Amino acid sequence: QVQLVESGGGLVQAGGSLRLSCAASGRTARTYIMGWFRQAPGKDREFVAAMLWSGGTYYADSVKGRFTISRDNAKNTVFLQMNGLKPEDTAVYYCAAVRDTSTVRVPSGYEYWGQGTQVTVSS
């Protein structure tokens, strides 16, 4: 079992930055694929970014160049640095983990989910 706890959400003005954290517990969490998804009211959950245990990264086109995913394997923590935030980035952001998947961009490819953290970007 892997437990995920997100933190770092909040209210920020357009153009600002936030850093989300996701602390993972569990013996083998550091070898898992870690992903970030978001869900705005009335919309489907959508892929934001993912990172393989090897360090490879994936990003949604909408956040490429503005968001950066990273991980600290010693602390079993994954981060999402969000710069240049826009009002359309407003959503609940979820951390997710899976041992292995060929579909890192799809929510159904993940086994474990955090409770989510709200990010609100004002214009």
Side-chain angles (χ1 to χ4, degrees), residues 21-108:
S21 300
C22 173
S25 62
R27 287 186 304 172
T28 59
R30 67 189 62 190
T31 65
Y32 278 48
I33 296 171
M34 302 296 294
W36 285 99
F37 289 78
R38 65 187 182 187
Q39 188 165 19
K43 294 188 176 181
D44 292 336
R45 192 167 297 190
E46 66 172 3
F47 171 75
V48 175
M51 191 168 199
L52 310 182
W53 68 269
S54 61
T57 57
Y58 299 81
Y59 293 96
D61 288 343
S62 59
V63 306
K64 201 172 295 184
R66 299 188 298 125
F67 292 10
T68 303
I69 188 171
S70 61
R71 64 195 298 168
D72 183 337
N73 285 334
K75 297 182 178 179
N76 273 0
T77 301
V78 64
F79 304 98
L80 185 68
Q81 178 66 44
M82 305 185 295
N83 299 328
L85 283 162
K86 304 175 181 180
E88 51 263 43
D89 294 318
T90 295
V92 177
Y93 282 70
Y94 296 90
C95 177
V98 64
R99 186 184 302 274
D100 191 20
T101 181
S102 60
T103 56
V104 296
R105 298 175 184 270
V106 179
S108 61

